[in-house]
Amino acid sequence: MEKTMIKELIKDEALLSQPCEPATADDAEVAQDLLDTLGSLEDAACLAANQIGVTKCVVAYLDDNEQPRVMYNPTLKLALGAFKTTEGCLSLEADSKVTRYDRIKVAYDELVDGALQPRKKDFTGWTAQLIQHMIDHCKGKLV
């Protein structure tokens, strides 16, 4: 049985503003810690590895069916339908005004049988907004 590792959320802006290093298959434990921590938080929809103190490009989020998903090395490939919105963040006290896109295409890696496999997927609406927030975290961008 895997042990659950719920991590403390990082609020240190110096750490959070560092761009994350590319993730590898060896970061599976980081992904599991993200899932465990995300699952322990009430009203949380997404989490990036740097929010639990690991500067690797790994993110976890809840999909449209509230199922937890993990992406390694997500990058925004296409963004359509810009809109302005206000977002909260688990690591920052104040909400931020940001520009997001309603429809996005993301390239990312997925861990399959111990190896990272490249994927591309389109996202819309709330899930697209979550993923853009996570990509900003990976870049060290504090909105």
Side-chain angles (χ1 to χ4, degrees), residues 10-18 91-94 140 142-143:
I10 301 295
K11 311 259 185 199
D12 178 5
E13 292 190 14
L15 178 71
L16 292 169
S17 61
Q18 291 177 22
S91 294
L92 302 174
E93 295 298 321
L142 296 174
V143 285

Side-chain angles (χ1 to χ4, degrees), residues 20-95:
C20 293
E21 299 168 30
T24 67
D26 293 337
D27 294 313
E29 193 175 302
V30 174
Q32 189 58 54
D33 290 349
L34 274 176
L35 291 171
D36 293 344
T37 304
L38 182 61
S40 76
L41 298 169
E42 201 171 307
D43 296 331
C46 58
L47 207 53
N50 61 357
Q51 290 179 280
I52 59 168
V54 181
T55 53
K56 290 288 194 160
C57 198
V58 184
V59 303
Y61 67 98
L62 299 179
D63 69 13
D64 292 335
N65 299 316
E66 297 289 310
Q67 293 304 302
R69 303 279 179 219
V70 172
M71 287 181 173
Y72 294 75
N73 308 311
T75 54
L76 201 56
K77 293 299 183 188
L78 182 69
L80 301 168
F83 65 95
K84 299 240 184 258
T85 188
T86 302
E87 289 180 350
C89 178
L90 297 168
S91 294
L92 302 174
E93 295 298 321
D95 288 349

Side-chain angles (χ1 to χ4, degrees), residues 88-137:
C89 178
L90 297 168
S91 294
L92 302 174
E93 295 298 321
D95 288 349
S96 303
K97 288 184 177 8
V98 294
T99 298
R100 293 292 185 221
Y101 298 89
D102 188 54
R103 297 185 308 283
I104 61 171
K105 183 182 290 289
V106 178
Y108 62 98
D109 296 319
E110 184 176 47
L111 190 63
V112 180
D113 298 327
L116 291 182
Q117 300 295 325
R119 302 277 190 252
K120 272 193 185 143
K121 191 168 178 185
D122 295 331
F123 297 93
T124 59
W126 174 243
T127 304
Q129 189 175 342
L130 294 178
I131 291 167
Q132 291 167 82
H133 186 94
M134 297 293 88
I135 289 172
D136 280 353
H137 269 294

